[in-house]
Amino acid sequence: MECILYICQRLTWTVVYFLAILLHIKTTVSHSDGLFTLEDQNAATVSPKFLSRGHLYKVIVGETIELPCKVQNLGSFVLLWRKGSSVLTAGHLKITRDPRFKIVGDYNLQIVSVKTQDAGDYICQLGDQENRDQVHTVEILAPPEITVEKSWVHSAEGHDVELACIVHGDVNSEMLWYQNSFLLDPTDRRSMHTTNDKYTLIIKKFQPSDFGNYSCVADNALGRTKKYIEVSGRPGPANFISPALSGYLDHYNLTWTIESLPVLEEIKLLYRRLLMNETYQHPGKWHEFRINPSLIRFDNTHFIMSHVIKNLEHNAVYEAIVQAKNKYGWNEISDIHQFYTRNHDLLLDIDMEYKTGISNGTRYSFVYLVLNGIVACLFFIVF
């Protein structure tokens, strides 16, 4: 795999030089020491040199930036602009498909409507035998961006809770924590911590008054960003772990886990059949069960439960949802879980067909990679 990636990278560079030569230069080509140079019989032998210098540019999101690359005695050499391993331009030929990039003036690179992902090092490279280059570093200034590790956090009285917000971009932003719109300060039970771009609020020995909506707010000179986290004692939504395809004709073993520190008090399970063909699907009537909660722990914070749904039709499609209650109330209804009953010996046929398809797909993918590698090698040797 590494060999193929190496070949593709070499091929990309070869094609870039080749296109630049065809469109911009009418002199002869020679290949020396693994680098392409162009020999113009009438050109002077003076070596090209950079007149501009590398620089650090700080740009606000949405603005336009122009990176200089001025070379004296360029002659028939080709200037490349690249960012990392991605070639942006070759001479005046634009390689990138991003319409925000273009060459202006002689060989300056212009980027309009800059985005946060435009940050990084931009290299203006002189394709001579010394392979010299000039590096500009672009730093993008923007309002802080925040992501939360979990937008919903389960807890219970007496337990410790940790809420985390991650700031992207400006890691020097000021971070403030709120509960139900009230600014939070450190106390003997509440503390704030910062590790690189991660901001953490820790609440020890959780109390009933601690439940509610929390928000982390990041400020810098360009703006303010806020994200919300709900801390609740209600159970988390059911997560189904049973396979979709039943091993039986007329019943199905539905298995799920639920996050809850307190014991579960009540479980509701609803299922219905889907009548469907190639052109439509029509859901049937919901059937509801009240189930005695399981006391079996999946781990320290989750319960695991299972229920066998009987008297089903063979070769049919069904949907199921689950809702649970603990001392803090009912959780949100789960996502719909779709499952299927088998049709006599059809399961064996499907399994064989699936395995055959996987085997053929793997074989064809391998052949495809080998053939592409051969073509790339031939192209590289020719040029």
Side-chain angles (χ1 to χ4, degrees):
M1 192 59 162
E2 292 182 357
C3 177
I4 294 175
L5 291 175
Y6 174 76
I7 292 171
C8 291
Q9 186 179 23
R10 294 297 301 270
L11 176 60
T12 300
W13 282 92
T14 304
V15 172
V16 168
Y17 276 105
F18 182 69
L19 290 175
I21 293 165
L22 287 179
L23 295 178
H24 296 280
I25 302 167
K26 297 182 180 179
T27 54
T28 59
V29 182
S30 68
H31 185 271
S32 173
D33 296 331
L35 296 172
F36 283 100
T37 61
L38 305 175
E39 296 178 356
D40 191 339
Q41 300 298 328
N42 299 319
T45 58
V46 180
S47 298
K49 67 176 183 178
F50 288 105
L51 298 180
S52 54
R53 294 183 178 181
H55 190 68
L56 170 63
Y57 294 87
K58 296 185 178 182
V59 191
I60 297 176
V61 166
E63 291 187 344
T64 297
I65 185 174
E66 186 175 316
L67 306 177
C69 187
K70 189 173 182 180
V71 179
Q72 186 180 51
N73 303 319
L74 178 62
S76 57
F77 292 100
V78 178
L79 277 179
L80 294 180
W81 274 104
R82 60 185 179 87
K83 182 186 180 187
S85 60
S86 301
V87 179
L88 305 174
T89 65
H92 285 91
L93 175 66
K94 181 179 172 181
I95 305 301
T96 178
R97 294 183 178 181
D98 194 327
R100 300 178 302 114
F101 290 77
K102 70 176 180 178
I103 293 294
V104 296
D106 291 331
Y107 293 100
N108 296 343
L109 179 66
Q110 184 185 80
I111 312 172
V112 300
S113 301
V114 296
K115 304 177 181 179
T116 54
Q117 57 264 35
D118 293 328
D121 291 336
Y122 290 80
I123 302 169
C124 181
Q125 188 171 70
L126 184 61
D128 61 357
Q129 292 185 0
E130 298 180 16
N131 207 29
R132 290 172 290 174
D133 56 31
Q134 183 175 104
V135 181
H136 296 293
T137 300
V138 175
E139 185 177 308
I140 307 300
L141 305 178
E145 294 183 11
I146 301 177
T147 57
V148 295
E149 288 189 345
K150 297 174 68 176
S151 60
W152 187 91
V153 175
H154 176 69
S155 187
E157 296 172 46
H159 290 263
D160 296 343
V161 172
E162 181 175 310
L163 311 181
C165 289
I166 300 172
V167 177
H168 306 276
D170 186 0
V171 296
N172 296 316
S173 300
E174 181 184 8
M175 175 66 76
L176 300 174
W177 287 94
Y178 292 81
Q179 181 194 7
N180 300 326
S181 301
F182 292 98
L183 180 64
L184 297 178
D185 294 316
T187 66
D188 56 341
R189 292 192 305 109
R190 190 168 56 218
S191 59
M192 294 83 167
H193 306 272
T194 304
T195 305
N196 297 323
D197 58 353
K198 183 177 179 179
Y199 295 79
T200 306
L201 171 65
I202 297 177
I203 305 173
K204 296 182 178 181
K205 298 180 180 178
F206 212 74
Q207 298 178 1
S209 60
D210 294 324
F211 289 114
N213 291 311
Y214 289 78
S215 58
C216 51
V217 179
D219 268 316
N220 68 11
L222 298 176
R224 164 180 282 206
T225 306
K226 179 186 293 187
K227 288 291 183 178
Y228 295 93
I229 304 172
E230 180 187 357
V231 181
S232 173
R234 295 177 292 110
N239 178 40
F240 298 100
I241 60 176
S242 48
L245 184 60
S246 174
Y248 304 94
L249 297 173
D250 60 355
H251 61 278
Y252 177 74
N253 187 8
L254 184 66
T255 306
W256 65 93
T257 62
I258 291 181
E259 182 180 13
S260 180
L261 291 169
V263 295
L264 299 175
E265 298 177 352
E266 193 173 352
I267 299 291
K268 287 193 296 187
L269 186 157
L270 294 88
Y271 78 94
R272 66 183 178 185
R273 183 182 177 184
L274 276 183
L275 302 174
M276 55 195 305
N277 58 27
E278 295 179 355
T279 58
Y280 81 101
Q281 63 177 30
H282 178 71
K285 179 182 177 181
W286 285 108
H287 301 275
E288 181 176 334
F289 288 101
R290 297 278 177 158
I291 304 173
N292 293 326
S294 168
L295 297 179
I296 301 176
R297 284 285 186 182
F298 183 72
D299 55 32
N300 292 333
T301 59
H302 292 75
F303 289 97
I304 185 169
M305 297 189 62
S306 183
H307 181 78
V308 177
I309 305 175
K310 300 178 180 179
N311 301 319
L312 302 176
E313 299 291 333
H314 69 274
N315 193 30
V317 182
Y318 289 88
E319 292 179 333
I321 54 176
V322 168
Q323 193 173 20
K325 178 185 177 183
N326 64 15
K327 70 177 184 178
Y328 295 107
W330 288 95
N331 65 355
E332 298 291 333
I333 296 176
S334 69
D335 292 335
I336 290 178
H337 175 70
Q338 198 168 89
F339 62 92
Y340 316 85
T341 53
R342 59 171 290 193
N343 182 19
H344 300 288
D345 295 330
L346 182 61
L347 181 61
L348 178 60
D349 297 335
I350 293 175
D351 186 56
M352 290 300 295
E353 185 179 23
Y354 173 76
K355 290 180 179 178
T356 304
I358 291 294
S359 177
N360 290 338
T362 304
R363 181 166 61 252
Y364 293 150
S365 297
F366 177 75
V367 172
Y368 176 79
L369 288 174
V370 171
L371 289 176
N372 274 274
I374 294 173
V375 171
C377 290
L378 291 175
F379 190 89
F380 183 75
I381 292 172
V382 170
F383 290 100

